[in-house]
Amino acid sequence: EVQLLESGGGLVQPGGSLRLSCAASGFTFSSYAMSWVRQAPGKGLEWVSAISGSGGSTYYADSVKGRFTISRDNSKNTLYLQMNSLRAEDTAVYYCAKVGIAVTYEAFFDYWGQGTLVTVSS
Amino acid sequence: DIQMTQSPSSLSASVGDRVTITCRASQSISSYLNWYQQKPGKAPKLLIYAASSLQSGVPSRFSGSGSGTDFTLTISSLQPEDFATYYCQQSYSNGYTFGQGTKLDIK
């Protein structure tokens, strides 16, 4: 059974930093790209970042580029999101998601964690 | 960046109704379109991938169609557990943009 378990959320002051983790199990972690998606309170889903299975390719939304860094440790089956220079508008539930690939190469997010809440406030 | 626009933003319907939600991309995305269902306080759940492929375990009353810029999610006969918010998502570019969501509630 695929399981994704996020941790590391909490209250942080504007300008501060936080590192989120996502522990994965139930699949060959290094074979799959992974992604972070966030959802501000009462708002829709916003894609944040993605990383290839090897970790060699990373992608970011313009809203977090230069402030957030996605990484992974395939030996520990863990995905990370380092968040620096946090702003009030970064307040959201952050989900990690496993990226699946169709036989015709379309990508999709087939498994999601339960989410971790990040609150940026003074 | 590719923008995704869903319509309607909200929808009221009754159990047994046939419901259609539309998603439009700002440029052609071929069949790189996914649909998710989200219930309050829960993580999203994948329903449809690659525009029309039903995710394993998802009831067959859900179906997806379209290609290029215009896509639809259809629920053939609404069940009580289907009242939720639905999102489309493009995976054509590495931005993986979501639509703004369609909230489906009970009439």
Side-chain angles (χ1 to χ4, degrees), chain B residues 1-6 22-30 32-33 67-71 88-90 92 97:
Chain B
D1 289 358
I2 299 175
Q3 308 302 317
M4 307 301 294
T5 304
Q6 289 180 233
T22 297
C23 180
R24 175 164 288 177
S26 60
Q27 67 181 72
S28 177
I29 58 170
S30 185
Y32 289 73
L33 192 283
S67 66
T69 60
D70 294 316
F71 302 86
C88 63
Q89 177 205 34
Q90 67 83 17
Y92 182 80
T97 328

Side-chain angles (χ1 to χ4, degrees), chain A residues 23-81:
Chain A
S25 61
F27 63 103
T28 304
F29 183 67
S30 60
S31 295
Y32 293 91
M34 297 291 293
S35 189
W36 289 98
V37 176
R38 68 184 180 183
Q39 186 169 37
K43 302 298 184 182
L45 301 172
E46 180 188 14
W47 173 77
V48 172
S49 184
I51 186 168
S52 63
S54 66
S57 297
T58 58
Y59 311 91
Y60 298 94
D62 287 344
S63 58
V64 306
K65 200 173 295 182
R67 300 188 299 122
F68 290 11
T69 302
I70 190 171
S71 63
R72 63 192 298 161
D73 185 337
N74 287 342
S75 69
K76 295 182 178 179
N77 288 353
T78 303
L79 174 73
Y80 302 102
L81 186 67

